[in-house]
Amino acid sequence: MRCLIQIEALNAAIQDVLKAISSKPLIPILSGIKIEARNDGILLTASDSEITIQRFIPVEQEPGKRVATIEEKGAIILPAKVLAELIRKMPGKELEIHSNEQFQAWIRAGKSEVQLLGFDPEDYPPIPQVDDRMSVTLPSEVLKSIIRQTIFASSVVESAGILTGTLWQWDEQQFTCVATDRHRLAKRTLHLDTLNSKQQLVLPSKTLSELTKLLPDQNQLISFICAEHQILFQWDNAWFYSRVLDGVYPDTSKIIPTQFKTEMVLPTAVLRDSIDRASLMSREEKSNVVQLTTLENQVIEISSSTTEIGKVTEKIELNRFNGESLKISFNSKFIMDVLRVIDSELVYIGFTGPMSPIIVKPEDETQLIHLILPYRTTGK
């Protein structure tokens, strides 16, 4: 293999695929990045067996702007961490990569030359195969929003199994994403005219978090192709493969209440800032417990106290209030996680009782809903 390539383009591609490299790879070859020189460009691949990321660098990024020159086709696997640091520090704007049949590589830029020992590309695990008959396309901003508004509610405890993932479900023209750790739940729905089938799969939430770091910022179309054990996200010259979790996700459709004893609407930012300040006390006791109490004249009180430091009390005027008076305690972190992903100016909160689930959602839409279990109660 022998090729010339712009350092900036190569470095950007390496930084993307590097996210799939594990600090403790299952097999030595997965500590490397596979580099393939083809007639039309250079393909980089990295994997940790859970996810696989590929980036393609075309010979020309746009007509007349050459990025790479392929002098001899071929492939080699080079140690990822060393390669990434090396390319980042090479001088000039262009470098040459040359490898031989003994899997030795030379990287030259300006007056610098580095020799690296690599792996046989034939030993690299095969890329997962997906069936493109089930494909969905979403704008990148929409996909990012769906992931951001749901994955935080999934469990971070590995022993929780299927609950460490997020359920993605298609039912005719409705796309639904659900995450829960049994103490809270996040659900986002979306209507898609292009859907006409039924399917569900559970994706690791850690994987989805990594995906959001790679998705383009501009509102670009992202295609994802689903299979029984794999899903492929594709855009531009990038491919992101993820395994699908095995197991049956619990049915959460019946635990979301639709009738409430107490309802309120208030400014999202005001509530978020008040709970953030109140939680300073609860964090000192490592309990994260904050109390909400309804007062007269459409006012609520947010409070938290500790026997060693003191007490925080804040009053918030409501935009709307309906129902019974209430005194309830909840995990401030859970509420803060929700309020950070609600983009609406006003937030709706519905209570079914001091020991029953709390519903939090944007006041102006019905596609996003969050459920939180109360921590404990101290009266009505």
Side-chain angles (χ1 to χ4, degrees), residues 254-265:
K254 297 179 181 178
I255 67 173
I256 301 176
T258 56
Q259 295 182 335
F260 304 96
K261 295 181 179 179
T262 306
E263 298 174 291
M264 59 183 68
V265 174

Side-chain angles (χ1 to χ4, degrees), residues 227-282:
E228 185 177 358
H229 301 293
Q230 290 283 336
I231 185 170
L232 165 62
F233 297 87
Q234 182 177 354
W235 65 95
D236 273 352
N237 293 308
W239 295 264
F240 185 103
Y241 297 82
S242 169
R243 76 179 180 98
V244 173
L245 294 179
D246 294 325
V248 179
Y249 205 83
D251 182 7
T252 61
S253 60
K254 297 179 181 178
I255 67 173
I256 301 176
T258 56
Q259 295 182 335
F260 304 96
K261 295 181 179 179
T262 306
E263 298 174 291
M264 59 183 68
V265 174
L266 66 162
T268 306
V270 173
L271 178 61
R272 183 179 62 239
D273 293 345
S274 294
I275 292 177
D276 192 24
R277 288 187 289 267
S279 67
L280 292 174
M281 293 293 180
S282 61

Side-chain angles (χ1 to χ4, degrees), residues 146-164:
I146 289 172
I147 295 172
R148 179 176 67 94
Q149 292 174 336
T150 54
I151 63 170
F152 68 86
S154 58
S155 178
V156 296
V157 180
E158 291 299 324
S159 60
I162 199 75
L163 295 185
T164 61

Side-chain angles (χ1 to χ4, degrees), residues 187-247:
K187 180 179 180 180
R188 171 73 186 269
T189 58
L190 188 67
H191 179 83
L192 294 176
D193 292 330
T194 56
L195 285 178
N196 56 8
S197 62
K198 293 185 179 182
Q199 185 178 357
Q200 70 174 36
L201 46 82
V202 182
L203 302 178
S205 292
K206 285 184 179 180
T207 296
L208 292 174
S209 178
E210 289 300 318
L211 174 64
T212 60
K213 299 173 186 177
L214 288 173
L215 290 173
D217 292 330
Q218 60 270 30
N219 214 16
Q220 189 174 327
L221 290 179
I222 310 297
S223 297
F224 48 100
I225 303 168
C226 310
E228 185 177 358
H229 301 293
Q230 290 283 336
I231 185 170
L232 165 62
F233 297 87
Q234 182 177 354
W235 65 95
D236 273 352
N237 293 308
W239 295 264
F240 185 103
Y241 297 82
S242 169
R243 76 179 180 98
V244 173
L245 294 179
D246 294 325

Side-chain angles (χ1 to χ4, degrees), residues 5-21 33-35 42-46 53-58 61 67 80 83-84 87 214 237-239:
I5 184 169
Q6 296 290 319
I7 293 176
E8 183 179 0
L10 180 59
N11 181 59
I14 288 176
Q15 293 305 314
D16 282 350
V17 302
L18 196 63
K19 293 177 174 63
I21 298 293
I33 294 175
K34 184 178 181 181
I35 303 174
I42 299 170
L43 179 67
L44 275 63
T45 304
I53 302 174
Q54 291 186 304
R55 274 290 310 272
F56 183 69
I57 305 170
Q61 284 188 339
V67 176
L83 179 66
I87 299 304
L214 288 173
N237 293 308
W239 295 264

Side-chain angles (χ1 to χ4, degrees), residues 338-356:
V338 171
L339 295 175
R340 288 190 183 103
V341 301
I342 289 181
D343 301 321
S344 173
E345 182 179 342
L346 297 176
V347 61
Y348 166 93
I349 308 178
F351 303 88
T352 54
M355 290 297 292
S356 301

